[in-house]
Amino acid sequence: MEEQYKEVFSFLHDRNPNARNVAMANILPLTVAGSPLRSLFFSGMKSGGLNSTSDSEVIRDLKLLCRDQPATAHDAFKALVNLSDSHLLAPSLSEPLFLAFIVSYILNPNSVLSDLACMVLSNITTHSGPCVALLKQEIEVIAFPDGKTSNYYPTQSLCATSPPPSKDFKGTPQKERALSLLIDAFASSATLEHESTQRKGKLHFLASVFANISTQPQGREFLLTPCKSICTTKEAKIEAPLSSLLPFTEHPDTIRRGGVASTIKNCCFVHEAHKALLSPESDSFRLSFANEPVPGLDILPRVLLPLAGPEEFDLEDTELLLPELQFLPSTKVREKDSILRLTHVETLLLLCTTRWGRDVQRKSGVYEIIRTMHETETDENVITHIERLVNMLKREEAPEEATTGSIREAEESDEDEKIAEV
């Protein structure tokens, strides 16, 4: 059986497009987890040590077939989605040329299979190597002079399922940071009310990419450092990339809001950024890794809204709540996914590791929201974390002078209770 399929592999680079299509359709079932012949795709591949990573011939073919005709490209992308859960494939799919193609393909609003490309990028960035590569990656783009639906064209996206704006399109290429463009594409591809009609894909899985990137110290620094890209208009303020993700904590799609929730949580591991994370945009703060002052991100309403339900508060408690949390409609629904509820509570716990963070939460009605949530919570793990949070917020504090300059005075000593990056 193995020898027969190896013969089929040879047709993946056949000059006849129909032969490539049939071959691709036949080998796609072999790529799923649990397939007894899945190891054929990793035969001859090396990873780690002093040896450079080498592709098997079939992996090289799959990467090229992502640029083929629609049916073939669809199966090739899907095969790479299935196979990219293996660490062996991460170096191959994050090499500069293919990574530039994948990112450019996602950025082009005309790319038919951009959601599958997002899944590939999501899978490979679960490994630290591809995360570092993506943080360094630059993309070649040509700016539109007339400000059409997308204000740039990523030149390396060109293929059968990702056409250029027009046949006679011309311009001078320039380099832009890949992650800045991906965040802009993600933010512009959907709103809370509806999906964008200007893109072929929804790009929800980019949220998982940002969550993976935020597990790396360099990734958190990128997300918290104000930057300007080709997408930034002259009138717009230069903000930290994280600010573009905040509106999606209550998006209808679980993947999108879950990835954003994890990204916010991971950024809270940067203790020196807590004041910027909790302050309004009108305030700005100096961070050791940022050249420019960081405007406030005001994340607390975005974290608390998913934890709030339709319950009514008495007037005294209502006055303690943030304006965004007051007088919510009777149709308000608390986050249904227990993992995402846990993620938001863990975010609040991380913000309790600084005295300033605890004080802000006390003044912002966090306890009142959490107390009401606790009354209806059924997940034991979430309940345990809620009780930890209440203990942090309700305990007596030492005089503030005694804790000045100590940014870790409230961290838990029990290793089992430490919050992990996700």
Side-chain angles (χ1 to χ4, degrees):
M1 184 68 73
E2 286 190 16
E3 293 303 319
Q4 291 175 338
Y5 274 108
K6 285 181 180 179
E7 290 181 15
V8 176
F9 285 173
S10 66
F11 287 96
L12 293 177
H13 47 262
D14 194 276
R15 297 182 65 178
N16 186 334
N18 291 330
R20 297 195 300 270
N21 183 25
V22 172
M24 192 65 248
N26 277 276
I27 70 166
L28 179 59
L30 307 183
T31 64
V32 299
S35 169
L37 296 176
R38 195 170 188 251
S39 59
L40 289 175
F41 295 93
F42 305 109
S43 177
M45 295 186 70
K46 304 172 187 176
S47 181
L50 298 177
N51 296 321
S52 60
T53 302
S54 60
D55 287 352
S56 63
E57 185 177 44
V58 65
I59 296 300
R60 286 196 298 272
D61 286 339
L62 290 177
K63 288 160 67 173
L64 287 172
L65 289 174
C66 289
R67 304 170 183 263
D68 212 317
Q69 299 304 310
T72 307
H74 174 275
D75 287 351
F77 268 119
K78 200 166 183 180
L80 290 181
V81 170
N82 293 339
L83 295 170
S84 56
D85 61 352
S86 169
H87 71 281
L88 287 173
L89 214 55
S92 171
L93 299 186
S94 59
E95 55 89 10
L97 285 177
F98 188 72
L99 189 59
F101 165 70
I102 284 286
V103 173
S104 299
Y105 189 91
I106 293 169
L107 294 174
N108 190 339
N110 296 320
S111 296
V112 178
L113 305 172
S114 54
D115 284 332
L116 287 175
C118 289
M119 293 180 195
V120 174
L121 196 59
S122 173
N123 282 352
I124 64 174
T125 52
T126 57
H127 308 282
S128 60
C131 282
V132 173
L134 184 57
L135 280 161
K136 296 177 180 178
Q137 185 71 44
E138 291 187 327
I139 300 300
E140 190 177 87
V141 298
I142 298 176
F144 285 121
D146 51 358
K148 294 183 180 179
T149 53
S150 175
N151 58 358
Y152 64 88
Y153 167 62
T155 58
Q156 291 159 294
S157 66
L158 181 62
C159 63
T161 57
S162 184
S166 62
K167 293 182 179 179
D168 56 350
F169 178 74
K170 296 179 181 179
T172 303
Q174 64 188 75
K175 295 280 189 178
E176 290 286 332
R177 191 167 185 175
L179 270 172
S180 296
L181 298 177
L182 286 172
I183 284 181
D184 178 78
F186 176 81
S188 62
S189 65
T191 65
L192 289 180
E193 292 78 23
H194 57 82
E195 311 296 343
S196 170
T197 57
Q198 299 175 353
R199 286 186 171 273
K200 302 292 186 183
K202 299 176 181 178
L203 310 191
H204 295 323
F205 274 87
L206 281 183
S208 300
V209 175
F210 305 140
N212 294 336
I213 289 293
S214 67
T215 63
Q216 306 296 314
Q218 311 99 301
R220 294 192 283 267
E221 291 177 5
F222 163 77
L223 289 163
L224 293 168
T225 301
C227 62
K228 183 177 182 180
S229 76
I230 194 172
C231 306
T232 308
T233 62
K234 293 180 180 179
E235 300 79 17
K237 295 180 180 179
I238 301 178
E239 299 176 329
L242 181 63
S243 65
S244 297
L245 307 183
L246 296 177
F248 300 106
T249 56
E250 288 199 294
H251 191 274
D253 185 83
T254 305
I255 298 296
R256 180 174 280 253
R257 68 177 187 273
V260 169
S262 294
T263 304
I264 295 171
K265 170 190 157 182
N266 289 340
C267 286
C268 291
F269 281 98
V270 185
H271 291 87
E272 67 169 305
H274 281 192
K275 286 190 176 182
L277 288 167
L278 291 170
S279 297
E281 187 182 356
S282 55
D283 298 336
S284 60
F285 302 87
R286 287 282 183 181
L287 300 182
S288 61
F289 50 81
N291 294 327
E292 300 292 333
V294 179
L297 290 154
D298 197 19
I299 70 169
L300 206 49
R302 300 299 185 179
V303 174
L304 288 176
L305 275 169
L307 302 180
E311 299 85 3
E312 294 184 5
F313 293 87
D314 59 38
L315 185 58
E316 184 178 348
D317 285 344
T318 299
E319 291 177 349
L320 295 172
L321 303 179
L322 295 170
E324 296 88 342
L325 277 296
Q326 295 179 5
F327 307 110
L328 294 175
S330 59
T331 55
K332 176 68 173 72
V333 178
R334 188 172 283 112
E335 171 59 60
K336 295 179 180 179
D337 191 306
S338 61
I339 295 176
L340 300 192
R341 293 198 302 275
L342 176 63
T343 300
H344 289 303
V345 174
E346 287 180 330
T347 298
L348 296 172
L349 276 167
L350 285 170
L351 293 169
C352 281
T353 57
T354 58
R355 170 67 181 268
W356 196 85
R358 296 193 295 278
D359 287 342
V360 168
Q361 292 189 63
R362 290 175 183 130
K363 297 173 184 176
S364 304
V366 171
Y367 169 73
E368 284 68 27
I369 294 292
I370 293 299
R371 180 190 63 196
T372 306
M373 174 189 175
H374 184 266
E375 295 172 358
T376 59
E377 185 56 59
T378 57
D379 187 279
E380 288 298 324
N381 198 18
V382 178
I383 291 172
T384 300
H385 281 74
I386 288 175
E387 291 170 353
R388 285 180 60 197
L389 177 60
V390 170
N391 289 336
M392 297 283 276
L393 295 177
K394 285 299 183 180
R395 74 181 191 179
E396 291 187 9
E397 296 281 3
E400 195 164 358
E401 303 80 47
T403 60
T404 300
S406 177
I407 63 173
R408 295 179 181 240
E409 75 276 1
E411 288 187 342
E412 301 284 351
S413 58
D414 188 345
E415 290 292 330
D416 293 333
E417 292 190 344
K418 286 190 175 180
I419 298 171
E421 298 164 358
V422 177

